[in-house]
Amino acid sequence: MAELMAAAGFTHGGLYKHFRSKADLMAEASASGLSQTAARTEGLDPTEFVERGSSTPTR
């Protein structure tokens, strides 16, 4: 996390002050990721969803 924050020009302390705990940060990041996935896959039938998920590179 420190490397990511440094690359973005921020300190990890500045990030964490916006959240009550690391668990809150993780919950917010997870919710955001799930929301983005839901938006990108809205309207896909189950086959399209699986095909898109299995063909998307993870890195």
Side-chain angles (χ1 to χ4, degrees):
M1 181 63 112
E3 289 179 25
L4 176 63
M5 296 302 297
F10 299 106
T11 63
H12 66 277
L15 172 70
Y16 287 128
K17 76 176 185 178
H18 294 284
F19 301 93
R20 291 183 208 180
S21 67
K22 288 182 183 180
D24 285 349
L25 169 61
M26 291 171 33
E28 183 65 31
S30 297
S32 177
L34 288 170
S35 177
Q36 290 174 26
T37 297
R40 284 194 311 268
T41 58
E42 185 176 355
L44 297 180
D45 66 42
T47 301
E48 290 173 312
F49 179 84
V50 170
E51 287 174 353
R52 186 173 289 185
S54 62
S55 66
T56 303
T58 57
R59 291 187 175 197

